Structures are given as C-alpha cells and as structure tokens.
Amino acid sequence: MKNKEAEADSIDPRLFVGGAEKALRVLRAFQDHRHPQSLTEITESTGLGRSATQRFIYTLKALGYLRQDKFTKRYTLSPKVLDFGFAYLRNDYLVEKAFPYLLEASKRTDETVNLTELDDTEVIYVSRLPSRNLISVDILLGQRLPVYCTAPGRAILAGIQPEQATDILERSDRQARTKHTITELSEIERKLEEIRHFGYALSDQESFLGDISIAAAVRNHAGDVVAAINIAVPHPRWSIAEAERDLAPVVIETAWAITKALGGRKI
C-alpha cells in the first residue's frame, strides 16, 4: 500500500499522459464544491492556465461529462459521470462476493450495513444496505470519510502493518469532526491495539453526532486486508453496550464469511 508521494515517484514519464491527468483534474474540481463552478473557479481549483482550462471544459462538455447553465454560464457534472462508478460496482469482485453476506447481516439486525474500501487516508463506501428504521446519517455510495475516526477505517488500519497504519495516520488531517472525535495519534494507535485484540472496531459518534458504528476487517486469499464491513446504528436507540453485545458478533461473523468467500483464512 503506497502513499501518494510514492505513487508519484513511480510514474514513468515516457508513458504518462499529462493531458489525461489535467482533464481528470478538471473533473475533480467539482468533488469538494456543491455549487456550480465558473470558469474562473475551475481555473483556480485546478491550477491550470485559463486557456487550457477552457479547452478541457469544452472537451468534457462536448463528451457529455459536464453541462453548462445557459443563463449563469456555470458548469456542473452531468449524470454521465456516474457511468464510471456503476461500471466499477458492476465489475468489482469484492462487492459481488460480499453482497449476499451483507444482505444476511442486514436481515439479522434490521440495521444499516456497509462495505468500505481504503483509498489512502480515506475509506470509500462501495456497498450499502440501509435500515428501514430511523437512521442518524445518510451515507451515499462513493462517499468518502477519513480513516482515523471511522470504525471501518480503524478496522482496516488495525489489520495492516503497524508502520503502514502510522504512515496513513500521520498524513491524515486529524480534525475533530464532533466533540467525541479522537485525534491524538497515540490514542488512535492504542485503539488499534484494542481492535487487534477484540477483533472489531467501535466508533462512538466520532464522525457524526448520534452515529454508533461497529466494524471488522475483510481479508483476501493472500491474507491482506481489502475492506471492512460495518453496522451503523443511531444513539440513543442503541447504547454502546447493546451495540457491542448484539452487533459485534454479527460484524465479525460477516467479515469472516466474506473473507472465506474470497479464499481467505484466519491468521
């Protein structure tokens, strides 16, 4: 698992297509902004020249990945960009193998069940079965959350090499998302030791107020951690003691069932 700096160092300039990277940079300019973007704003976000930005915007608009309001002249992503995400979900071996077990966990608990994968310092939600009950947080497929304060993130960190986990945590922007968020590196690493001992991770309202989450890591045939399953429930409908008593066993069993489906074994 390499960090972004190591990945950059490994790029072969003879094969790297700079134009493709710049086009993707324009698309990423919309990632952190919910409102339509002007040409000036996109230029500032990407760090590209105004003329180059204009050409990339025109190309992406012509291909159907951007659309422009005819009155404000501002740009937004078009629904066509969802094709890439759904192509990933349709073709991802892990999502396919995990789904029956996520469904079983959802039926057993009648609560929200998620599957997440690690991407550098964040986890990405790649499969989700929402509860029919009242939920405290509405998460969408493809949504990202930081690893340091989420149960699935910590479950994954606890399963990889300690030095890799420390590297990820040191590069994370460990801001307090709620009054309950643990941000100190030493305290998070102590939590990781507890996860290795008990087999599951617990986050008590550290990412969102009112959200309790319990997670366990999923491994592949080589024994590498590839994902985490978590069950999220609202406080005060659930207490921490109830969640650990009733949900932790389900989470651990489900993670192990998916691991076996991937050809993995207990280590």
Side-chain angles (χ1 to χ4, degrees):
M1 192 177 306
K2 300 178 181 179
N3 60 35
K4 292 189 182 300
E5 289 78 7
E7 289 176 350
D9 291 340
S10 67
I11 290 175
D12 187 338
R14 298 169 300 177
L15 300 175
F16 187 77
V17 181
E21 185 273 333
K22 291 173 183 176
L24 290 172
R25 206 189 302 179
V26 170
L27 291 176
R28 286 197 297 269
F30 294 87
Q31 205 166 24
D32 298 322
H33 300 281
R34 296 191 177 186
H35 59 84
Q37 300 288 293
S38 67
L39 170 60
T40 299
E41 289 170 329
I42 298 171
T43 301
E44 292 174 351
S45 297
T46 60
L48 301 172
R50 185 179 181 87
S51 177
T53 303
Q54 193 169 30
R55 291 197 301 273
F56 283 116
I57 288 174
Y58 178 85
T59 302
L60 291 167
K61 178 185 172 185
L63 293 173
Y65 295 107
L66 291 182
R67 56 188 177 187
Q68 185 181 28
D69 186 282
K70 64 180 180 180
F71 298 109
T72 67
K73 304 302 181 183
R74 288 177 171 267
Y75 298 91
T76 58
L77 296 176
S78 81
K80 191 173 181 179
V81 299
L82 292 173
D83 291 346
F84 295 110
F86 281 106
Y88 172 81
L89 295 176
R90 284 195 304 267
N91 294 286
D92 184 66
Y93 180 76
L94 170 63
V95 173
E96 178 186 355
K97 287 292 185 179
F99 183 78
Y101 304 100
L102 301 179
L103 182 60
E104 178 62 24
S106 175
K107 290 178 179 178
R108 288 175 62 183
T109 63
D110 202 22
E111 297 294 351
T112 300
V113 182
N114 304 298
L115 183 72
T116 58
E117 295 185 46
L118 180 68
D119 183 29
D120 198 39
T121 62
E122 299 173 309
V123 289
I124 304 176
Y125 285 74
V126 296
S127 191
R128 177 173 172 82
L129 294 171
S131 171
R132 292 177 296 176
N133 298 312
L134 178 67
I135 58 177
S136 58
V137 181
D138 187 18
I139 299 288
L140 300 176
L141 282 183
Q143 187 162 338
R144 294 168 173 266
L145 288 175
V147 295
Y148 69 91
C149 63
T150 55
R154 288 181 186 168
I156 292 173
L157 291 179
I160 64 178
Q161 293 297 320
E163 61 271 18
Q164 292 177 304
T166 298
D167 173 65
I168 291 171
L169 288 170
E170 287 178 340
R171 291 187 291 105
S172 298
D173 183 19
R174 300 191 307 274
Q175 299 294 319
R177 293 174 60 91
T178 76
K179 62 182 180 181
H180 303 285
T181 308
I182 298 171
T183 59
E184 289 295 325
L185 180 61
S186 59
E187 182 63 13
I188 297 172
E189 290 183 328
R190 187 185 69 78
K191 290 285 186 183
L192 298 186
E193 287 297 326
E194 292 180 356
I195 296 165
R196 295 181 186 110
H197 177 73
F198 292 107
Y200 66 90
L202 169 70
S203 175
D204 178 15
Q205 304 183 79
E206 291 191 55
S207 296
F208 303 98
L209 288 175
D211 186 66
I212 298 172
S213 177
I214 291 186
V218 173
R219 296 179 181 272
N220 63 11
H221 65 281
D224 299 322
V225 172
V226 292
I229 171 186
N230 80 292
I231 296 179
V233 294
H235 174 84
R237 184 160 63 81
W238 284 80
S239 69
I240 295 299
E242 290 170 336
E244 291 189 284
R245 181 194 67 207
D246 298 337
L247 300 179
V250 178
V251 166
I252 293 171
E253 291 170 18
T254 305
W256 171 229
I258 299 171
T259 294
K260 287 195 293 183
L262 296 174
R265 61 186 186 277
K266 290 184 177 179
I267 60 173

